[in-house]
Amino acid sequence: MWAYVNGAFVPDRDAAVSVHDRGFRYGDGVFDTLRVYDGRPFLIDEHVGRLVASSKTLGIGGLPPGDALSALIREVITRNGFGNALVRTTVTRGVSDGWEPDPTARPSVVVVGRPFSGYPAHLYRDGASIVVTTIRIPASPPDPVLKSLNRLAQIQAKREAMARGADEAVLCTDAGLVAEGSVSNVFCVDAGRIITPPASVGLLPGITRGVVIDLARREGLACDETPFGLEDLQGADEVFLTSTGMEVLPVTRVDGRPIGLGRPGPIASALRRLYHVRVRENG
Ligand code: PDD
């Protein structure tokens, strides 16, 4: 497999950045993961746009322009002959001797990929289980809207989910509002109304989340960005998660208790079908 590292395509096993890279030293960078279906990247403009915007917010300059980054991603797909895959792009502030950012440093840009055809089928058939962790979503810094390399709260939350035998962990805010999963966004359905927390709660408003809100509204379903608490999550008729890798994943257990009838619900199933239609329309 081939990877792109700072100006060159190299065999994946040789892909490396300096131990002085600020991404390694301090998590001083951003990343993005996009999905490839049948050799075509899905929503590449949105993914590259988010990466460029996050880099700009952090003041990481000297990046190739968005269309050049897109071309690198496409080149990684082509060189590897990817059919279905995940491609991850990482950008860091580059190398520095110490804590102080070096304004003359060139950013590091890395693009790697791996074959990926989706999460296991049984999760969609039976629904996933989630646990609500006591780990709070960090309000600041870094702003959770940034897809930064700082993922410690989410990693600790994911470890907790794994230890409790669950598929995903949900993090709340300090105020006790549901924010998001460790690597996903959360939706509830209550009496036919779909709700998901607004970005203002403090979460990464995922690209899949945006697509699913759009699909729901086009279908004439009520879908609102509204803050909600744990009781709403636990008492919902349906719960589902969204992310690039998961697409629309129904949840049937929260903290070991069944959601609704304990089976994937009709709205999550419908949105998953519509999502697949959108994927097929791509390219
Ligand atoms: N991350 N919230 C968090 C904290 C995430 O890490 C992700 C996904 C999402 C969903 O975002 P999107 O729909 O744009 O994939 C929400 C990606 C998959 C990653 O970790 O690379």
Side-chain angles (χ1 to χ4, degrees), residues 34-42 77 82-87 116:
L34 62 72
R35 187 103 177 241
V36 180
Y37 295 95
D38 287 333
R40 289 190 298 271
F42 187 50
I77 295 168
F82 283 144
N84 296 315
L86 284 174
V87 175
F116 180 78

Side-chain angles (χ1 to χ4, degrees), residues 31-34 47 50 86-88 119 137 144 147 151 154 168 171 180-186 203-210 242-247 275:
F31 73 105
D32 184 84
T33 307
L34 62 72
H47 283 277
R50 175 167 71 183
L86 284 174
V87 175
R88 178 184 156 123
Y119 278 62
I137 191 106
K147 207 162 162 64
R151 294 281 128 197
Q154 288 83 358
E168 173 63 310
L171 295 92
E180 61 181 333
S182 75
V183 74
S184 58
N185 290 114
V186 182
L203 53 88
L204 181 84
I207 289 169
T208 319
R209 169 186 178 278
T242 64
S243 79
T244 296
M246 293 172 187
E247 304 171 334
Y275 192 82

Side-chain angles (χ1 to χ4, degrees), residues 11-283:
D12 187 81
R13 63 177 178 280
D14 299 330
V17 292
S18 164
V19 292
H20 303 293
D21 191 281
R22 295 180 64 86
F24 179 67
R25 287 176 76 126
Y26 309 119
D28 190 2
V30 293
F31 73 105
D32 184 84
T33 307
L34 62 72
R35 187 103 177 241
V36 180
Y37 295 95
D38 287 333
R40 289 190 298 271
F42 187 50
L43 304 174
I44 188 168
D45 292 344
E46 288 80 351
H47 283 277
V48 169
R50 175 167 71 183
L51 190 72
V52 169
S54 298
S55 306
K56 202 173 268 177
T57 305
L58 291 181
I60 297 177
L63 268 190
D67 49 358
L69 288 171
S70 297
L72 292 175
I73 291 169
R74 290 182 192 279
E75 179 77 25
V76 166
I77 295 168
T78 311
R79 282 194 185 229
N80 288 300
F82 283 144
N84 296 315
L86 284 174
V87 175
R88 178 184 156 123
T89 307
T90 308
V91 168
T92 81
R93 203 183 302 279
V95 164
S96 68
D97 278 345
W99 174 238
E100 210 163 285
D102 175 357
T104 66
R106 292 167 60 88
S108 293
V109 180
V110 173
V111 187
V112 296
R114 64 181 168 95
F116 180 78
S117 295
Y119 278 62
H122 72 85
L123 288 180
Y124 297 91
R125 193 182 57 234
D126 304 332
S129 61
I130 60 176
V131 290
V132 179
T133 159
T134 51
I135 295 162
R136 297 300 186 214
I137 191 106
S140 76
D143 185 338
V145 166
L146 288 175
K147 207 162 162 64
S148 83
L149 290 175
N150 294 260
R151 294 281 128 197
L152 285 183
Q154 288 83 358
I155 291 166
Q156 292 299 82
K158 178 66 188 178
R159 290 183 61 237
E160 185 180 327
M162 288 165 72
R164 292 169 64 185
D167 301 305
E168 173 63 310
V170 164
L171 295 92
C172 294
T173 65
D174 278 338
L177 295 170
V178 171
E180 61 181 333
S182 75
V183 74
S184 58
N185 290 114
V186 182
F187 288 73
C188 280
V189 183
D190 185 31
R193 177 172 171 250
I194 307 167
I195 52 171
T196 192
S200 57
V201 156
L203 53 88
L204 181 84
I207 289 169
T208 319
R209 169 186 178 278
V211 170
V212 167
I213 292 172
D214 182 55
L215 289 172
R217 289 181 181 161
R218 279 171 194 267
E219 199 61 13
L221 301 167
C223 182
D224 298 308
E225 297 178 57
T226 310
F228 59 87
L230 274 186
E231 324 71 56
D232 304 298
L233 184 75
Q234 287 153 350
D237 298 330
E238 289 187 43
V239 174
F240 58 91
L241 305 173
T242 64
S243 79
T244 296
M246 293 172 187
E247 304 171 334
V248 178
L249 180 64
V251 170
T252 47
R253 269 154 301 144
V254 176
D255 288 329
R257 286 193 294 276
I259 290 297
L261 300 174
R263 293 194 298 271
I267 291 189
S269 305
L271 289 171
R272 183 161 180 249
R273 274 196 303 277
L274 291 169
Y275 192 82
H276 287 160
V277 172
R278 182 68 67 92
V279 167
R280 280 198 298 276
E281 285 166 0
N282 171 45

